[in-house]
């Protein structure tokens, strides 16, 4: 079956250029004059951009360390430094990379992650991001500030929105001091507007996968999501997704599926296994099974960003995320997705070092299966630490799961 | 006469079964999987054919399963060991059942409905606890041959288990027990009980309990303990170590009969 090839997107070349340009802005010679803010992937990037910061997202670097498989060699350095192998392997990969002075950016001719002037976190996703940022704050003696969003939220009610919105507003003053710019509300509105447009386009991209055959898979999306994560709030991200969306619409018009002979449709719950994206994409393609939807890629849709209510809109958008919700809204969301994407089976990735993105631990697969009658499989692995991944067990689990779907 | 062949290349042992159209085993053999799966498969096939005087040309379809399922050049198809253990076990009992296969490197729990259709399955996490590798390690520590374990465990009425999840920690516990002068039979029984516990915590069971694989084939007492833990009787099909290979042969037969080769 070695003849199977994955289908590339024309647009991808543009994306490479775009991401390369962004990295150069942050790490190239021109970056010297700029104020750099580190930001968590679902942190208040719009505010930072409006204040004139160049925004760097270390989780993106974490994913790159995973995808290049550098992570597995670097994590032990952070472990030896005192960061346990049981905690976030983005954190341990990234700190390992810092300790060793090696990064995938080096291959692009860049020196490595930029030194921060300020690190801004949001605990909506986990506590690890704050611990991670504080390490660098101590290293560089720079401020680390952020939002303490509640977790396991049921309804995102007004109290929560007010609580988080107030915290965002309180970031303004220290950030103005650090960055040297006063916040211009019109600029903030403009950035929020661009950010919302970007995430709406990203949503449209993801929704093309509701068609059978799907023109795009989860594995493509994990790469294509780059601009939605790191460039939201900028026009170039919007321009990119317009191009990608047009290509997807063309595939739909031509009846071109990402997986040849798509037979089954899978929902991927949990994080990607970055170092194994290609192997997994190929295995699913061989099994004529398309992974068409995921919690992960859908996490960068921020419908409620609102230029007219900048702080509340951001607070709501960043507190409504799947990752910081309790199991009831998570389950309701999954049910909607299963229906909308016409899912035959759900794969839960139980990522050892990220309990926050692993939803198979509190009986949810069993509950959802009882409600929807859609079968599931759980695979044990990790986002970055391939020491926690068994290629053979995963391969067999996936193959056996597709066999099971074929009996239905 | 037409024949069908199933070969299960497991993590430690490769098993081959040839069946007739009625599903009766007419030849079988096993050997260590070794480091060259294709060679092992070829050796098994020729030895069984020679021993049972089966003309290879009469084997109309062969199906491979197990870790080495992609490494059998002459097989005409492959299925996972999950499918094959389910198929092989169901053949003997034809009821709603839960199949528990305890292999050398992993354990599997497979739920089948009344018609033998799979409802769900689970493989153990990547860890030796609850597998044959654990028992081998303990035998090693006690300087025993694997074949002595069943009788030793059965001779004990000491119903404790080793406490640790981890094979290395459990081996340390064994050392402590040796030092404390605990009887060898009691230690082996404790080791059996810990395998049982690791399996019991994997999943629930529905319907009849059927256990397969080399570990229970050689240690029926372990299957008995497993049944007791689930408050039921654990059934062991004939040739339990060959269940995966047998299931593969049954799939081969089915695929020929349905004329829809995969
Ligand atoms: S959500 Fe998980 S992967 Fe992301 S930073 Fe937190 S612990 Fe790491």
């Amino acid at each position: 079956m070695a003849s199977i090839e994955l289908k590339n997107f024309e647009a991808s070349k543009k994306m490479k250029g775009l991401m390369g340009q962004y990295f150069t802005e942050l790490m190239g010679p021109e970056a010297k004059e700029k104020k750099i803010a580190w930001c968590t992937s679902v942190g208040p990037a719009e505010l930072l951009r409006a204040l004139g910061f160049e925004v760097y997202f270390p989780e993106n670097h974490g994913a790159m360390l995973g995808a290049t498989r550098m992570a597995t060699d670097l994590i032990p350095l952070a472990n030896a430094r005192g960061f346990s192998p049981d905690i976030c392997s983005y954190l341990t990969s990234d700190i390992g990379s810092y300790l060793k002075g090696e990064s995938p950016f080096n291959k692009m001719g860049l020196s490595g992650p930029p030194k921060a002037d300020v690190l801004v976190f949001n605990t909506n996703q986990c506590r690890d991001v704050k611990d991670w940022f504080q390490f660098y704050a101590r290293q560089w003696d720079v401020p680390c500030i952020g939002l303490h969003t509640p977790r396991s939220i049921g309804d995102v009610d007004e109290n929560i929105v007010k609580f988080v919105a107030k915290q965002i507003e309180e970031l303004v003053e220290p950030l103005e001091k650090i960055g040297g710019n006063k916040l211009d509300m019109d600029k903030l509105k403009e950035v929020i507007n661009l950010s919302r447009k970007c995430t709406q386009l990203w949503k449209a991209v993801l929704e093309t996968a509701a068609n059978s055959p799907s023109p795009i898979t989860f594995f493509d999306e994990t790469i294509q999501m780059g601009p939605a994560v790191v460039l939201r709030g900028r026009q170039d991200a919007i321009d990119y997704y317009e191009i990608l969306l047009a290509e997807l619409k063309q595939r739909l018009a031509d009846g071109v599926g990402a997986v040849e002979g798509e037979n089954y449709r899978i929902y991927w719950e949990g994080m990607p296994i970055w170092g194994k994206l290609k192997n997994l994409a190929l295995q699913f393609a061989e099994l004529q099974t398309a992974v068409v939807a995921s919690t992960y890629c859908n996490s960068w849709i921020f419908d409620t960003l609102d230029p007219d209510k900048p702080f509340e809109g951001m607070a709501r958008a960043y507190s409504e995320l799947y990752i910081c919700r309790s199991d009831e809204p998570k389950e309701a969301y999954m049910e909607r997705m299963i229906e909308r994407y016409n899912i035959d089976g759900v794969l839960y990735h139980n990522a050892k070092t990220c309990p926050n993105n692993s939803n198979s631990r509190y009986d949810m697969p069993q509950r959802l299966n009882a409600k929807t009658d859609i079968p599931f499989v759980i695979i044990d692995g990790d986002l970055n630490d391939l020491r926690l991944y068994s290629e053979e067990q995963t391969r067999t689990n996936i193959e056996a799961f597709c066999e099971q779907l074929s009996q239905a | 006469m037409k024949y069908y062949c199933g070969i299960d290349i497991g993590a430690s042992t490769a098993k081959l079964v040839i069946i007739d159209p009625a599903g009766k085993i007419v030849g079988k053999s096993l050997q260590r999987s070794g480091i060259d799966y294709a060679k092992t498969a070829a050796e098994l096939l020729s030895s069984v054919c020679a021993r049972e005087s089966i003309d290879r040309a009469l084997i109309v379809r062969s199906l491979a399963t197990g870790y080495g399922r992609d490494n059998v050049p002459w097989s005409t198809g492959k299925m996972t060991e999950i499918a094959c253990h389910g198929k092989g076990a169901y053949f003997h009992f034809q009821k709603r059942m839960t199949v528990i296969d305890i292999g050398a490197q992993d354990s599997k729990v497979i739920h089948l409905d009344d018609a033998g259709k799979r409802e769900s399955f689970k493989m153990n996490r990547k860890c030796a606890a609850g597998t044959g590798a654990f028992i081998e390690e303990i035998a090693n520590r006690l300087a025993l041959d694997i074949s002595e374990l069943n009788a030793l465990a059965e001779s004990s009425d000491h119903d404790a288990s080793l406490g640790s999840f981890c094979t290395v920690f459990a081996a340390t516990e064994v050392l402590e027990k040796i030092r404390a002068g605990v009887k060898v039979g009691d230690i082996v029984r404790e080791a059996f009980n810990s395998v049982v516990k690791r399996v019991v915590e994997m999943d629930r069971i529905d319907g009849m309990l059927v256990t397969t694989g080399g570990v229970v084939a050689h240690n029926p007492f372990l299957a008995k303990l497993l049944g007791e833990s689930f408050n039921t009787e654990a059934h062991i099909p004939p040739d339990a170590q060959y269940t995966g290979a047998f299931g593969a042969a049954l799939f081969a037969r089915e695929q020929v009969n349905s004329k829809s080769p995969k």
Side-chain angles (χ1 to χ4, degrees):
Chain A
M1 290 250 192
S3 58
I4 298 250
E5 271 183 37
L6 299 171
K7 296 180 192 172
N8 293 322
F9 287 95
E10 269 303 306
S12 296
K13 285 180 222 132
K14 287 221 165 55
M15 184 181 64
K16 269 201 180 141
L18 182 59
M19 296 294 279
Q21 183 199 326
Y22 160 70
F23 292 138
T24 310
E25 285 167 21
L26 274 166
M27 293 166 240
E30 55 189 293
K32 287 211 174 62
E33 314 302 316
K34 297 174 182 161
K35 292 281 183 188
I36 308 260
W38 283 33
C39 182
T40 51
S41 62
V42 279
E46 292 76 10
L47 177 64
L48 298 169
R49 290 217 150 102
L51 281 161
F53 286 98
E54 289 296 320
V55 188
Y56 170 76
F57 297 87
E59 284 153 81
N60 175 242
H61 186 234
M64 288 167 77
L65 289 164
T68 53
R69 303 193 193 175
M70 291 172 76
T72 306
D73 291 332
L74 296 170
I75 292 167
L77 299 175
N79 297 156
R81 172 75 165 68
F83 292 97
S84 159
D86 295 331
I87 65 167
C88 173
S89 60
Y90 273 173
L91 179 163
T92 49
S93 314
D94 183 70
I95 291 181
S97 152
Y98 171 80
L99 294 172
K100 187 143 192 220
E102 276 179 14
S103 155
F105 291 133
N106 302 152
K107 287 214 180 82
M108 304 176 192
L110 300 166
S111 55
K115 187 170 167 291
D117 294 291
V118 62
L119 301 110
V120 185
F121 60 83
N122 189 344
T123 61
N124 51 357
Q125 57 188 101
C126 61
R127 63 162 278 179
D128 298 59
V129 283
K130 181 173 173 182
D131 297 282
W132 181 359
F133 282 20
Q134 283 179 324
F135 168 81
Y136 289 104
R138 288 189 296 269
Q139 289 291 308
W140 297 325
D141 196 19
V142 293
C144 176
I145 53 180
L147 312 173
H148 293 93
T149 302
R151 299 206 5 101
S152 203
I153 303 172
D155 289 333
V156 182
D157 60 22
E158 282 312 308
N159 287 332
I160 289 177
V161 174
K162 271 192 204 138
F163 173 65
V164 177
K166 182 155 178 284
Q167 292 186 57
I168 304 178
E169 280 196 73
E170 285 170 358
L171 290 178
V172 172
E173 201 190 315
L175 286 172
E176 284 178 340
K177 279 201 190 118
I178 298 161
N181 293 322
K182 278 264 162 227
L183 179 64
D184 171 351
M185 282 310 278
D186 290 333
K187 177 76 185 156
L188 180 61
K189 286 179 184 181
E190 183 195 323
V191 175
I192 287 176
N193 196 30
L194 292 173
S195 192
R196 191 174 63 170
K197 273 196 191 150
C198 168
T199 81
Q200 280 166 346
L201 276 162
W202 176 236
K203 185 177 180 181
V205 163
L206 295 176
E207 286 190 339
T208 61
N211 295 280
S212 282
S214 169
I216 188 166
T217 72
F218 164 67
F219 304 104
D220 302 319
E221 291 163 5
T222 58
I223 307 299
Q224 296 294 341
M225 70 196 274
V229 179
V230 303
L231 295 172
R232 63 179 190 272
R234 289 174 39 157
Q235 183 61 40
D236 42 8
I238 296 171
D239 298 342
Y240 178 69
Y241 286 120
E242 275 167 353
I243 295 170
L244 178 64
L245 188 58
E247 190 174 345
L248 285 163
K249 285 187 174 158
Q250 192 57 48
R251 278 195 182 182
L252 285 179
D254 300 341
V256 173
V259 165
E260 218 40 68
E262 174 190 302
N263 273 335
Y264 308 109
R265 297 165 62 80
I266 303 265
Y267 186 98
W268 183 289
E269 208 311 304
M271 294 208 64
I273 301 168
W274 289 108
K276 294 289 167 184
L277 285 182
K278 187 160 182 210
N279 306 47
L280 289 164
L282 279 169
Q283 189 190 3
F284 277 107
E286 279 176 17
L287 293 165
Q288 297 185 309
T289 299
V291 182
V292 293
S294 68
T295 311
Y296 186 71
C297 295
N298 272 276
S299 293
W300 280 267
I301 296 172
F302 305 116
D303 283 326
T304 53
L305 286 177
D306 181 354
D308 294 327
K309 291 187 196 150
F311 294 106
E312 280 116 88
M314 273 193 279
R316 189 175 283 284
Y318 292 127
S319 307
E320 263 184 9
L321 291 175
Y322 184 94
I323 194 167
C324 57
R325 308 297 290 282
S326 65
D327 270 14
E328 292 103 326
K330 279 184 181 172
E331 247 174 271
Y333 175 85
M334 292 278 294
E335 268 187 85
R336 289 197 299 276
M337 293 295 276
I338 286 171
E339 168 99 37
R340 166 119 187 75
Y341 286 84
N342 200 10
I343 296 297
D344 299 305
V346 182
L347 181 152
Y348 293 84
H349 170 208
N350 183 31
K352 178 79 162 72
T353 72
C354 181
N356 315 291
N357 273 308
S358 297
N359 287 293
S360 59
R361 301 184 184 186
Y362 294 83
D363 191 40
M364 187 157 109
Q366 289 77 3
R367 288 196 306 268
L368 257 181
N369 170 251
K371 263 196 219 162
T372 60
D373 213 23
I374 299 292
F376 68 88
V377 66
I378 301 172
I379 59 170
D380 290 305
D382 193 53
L383 40 141
N384 268 17
D385 193 343
L386 293 179
R387 298 174 301 180
L388 300 166
Y389 178 75
S390 159
E391 182 98 49
E392 181 52 38
Q393 270 211 18
T394 308
R395 202 170 69 94
T396 301
N397 260 318
I398 291 171
E399 209 172 311
F401 190 53
C402 291
E403 279 171 356
Q404 186 177 324
L405 297 179
S406 75
Q407 304 177 324
Chain B
M1 177 74 91
K2 280 185 196 162
Y3 297 109
Y4 309 90
C5 172
I7 179 162
D8 175 6
I9 304 198
S12 96
T13 312
K15 286 84 56 177
L16 182 139
V17 160
I18 297 176
I19 60 170
D20 68 12
K24 185 166 158 276
I25 295 183
V26 294
K28 62 174 196 281
S29 187
L30 55 79
Q31 68 182 58
R32 288 199 78 80
S33 299
I35 51 168
D36 183 345
Y37 292 162
K39 187 162 158 258
T40 303
E43 283 171 9
L44 276 173
L45 182 63
S46 33
S47 75
V48 175
C49 287
R51 183 158 15 99
E52 308 299 338
S53 308
I54 294 168
D55 179 357
R56 256 190 85 159
L58 296 178
I59 299 176
V60 289
R61 193 168 175 87
S62 305
L63 200 131
T65 187
Y67 283 98
R69 63 186 175 279
D70 290 312
N71 301 76
V72 184
W74 44 267
S75 81
T76 27
K78 64 163 182 170
M79 301 282 277
T80 64
E81 46 274 39
I82 295 165
C84 293
H85 276 275
K87 188 82 172 171
Y90 183 80
F91 179 86
H92 294 290
F93 303 100
Q94 311 269 328
K95 275 195 187 130
R96 178 178 185 78
M97 63 170 71
T98 301
V99 182
I100 296 185
D101 172 61
I102 305 179
Q105 301 251 308
D106 58 40
S107 299
K108 311 164 196 61
V109 182
I110 306 154
H111 297 275
L112 303 176
D113 70 9
D114 288 322
K117 202 177 120 201
R118 193 188 335 148
E119 289 176 331
S120 66
F121 70 96
K122 222 178 204 178
M123 281 169 83
N124 75 339
R125 298 165 152 218
K126 0 164 243 299
C127 169
T131 71
F134 176 79
I135 294 181
E136 262 183 49
E137 172 63 22
I138 300 299
N140 233 336
R141 292 286 161 154
L142 296 172
L144 294 169
D145 190 80
I146 309 267
S147 62
E148 300 172 73
L149 299 178
N150 194 61
L152 274 168
E154 212 167 353
S155 72
S156 160
D157 54 8
H158 170 79
D159 223 4
S161 63
L162 300 172
S164 175
F165 269 129
C166 161
T167 305
V168 176
F169 287 2
T172 317
E173 273 185 67
V174 167
L175 293 179
E176 276 167 30
K177 287 181 198 281
I178 295 172
R179 200 171 51 202
V182 177
K183 280 194 291 188
V184 174
D186 289 351
I187 302 179
V188 175
R189 181 157 178 169
E190 289 193 28
F192 276 26
N193 274 331
S194 24
V195 171
V196 165
K197 280 199 172 170
R198 298 294 84 83
V199 173
V200 168
E201 64 210 13
M202 275 175 73
D203 207 349
R204 61 177 211 286
I205 64 161
D206 302 312
M208 153 182 225
L209 171 61
V210 179
T211 57
T212 62
V215 172
V216 296
H218 296 298
N219 304 287
F221 185 63
L222 193 146
K224 184 165 178 274
L225 293 174
L226 186 67
E228 283 168 8
S229 284
F230 279 118
N231 284 325
T232 183
E233 187 189 344
H235 299 265
I236 305 177
D239 297 312
Q241 190 167 10
Y242 290 91
T243 307
F246 177 57
L250 291 172
F251 273 121
R253 181 184 69 157
E254 188 176 291
Q255 289 174 1
V256 170
N257 291 345
S258 72
K259 294 206 173 50
S260 62
K262 281 212 162 185

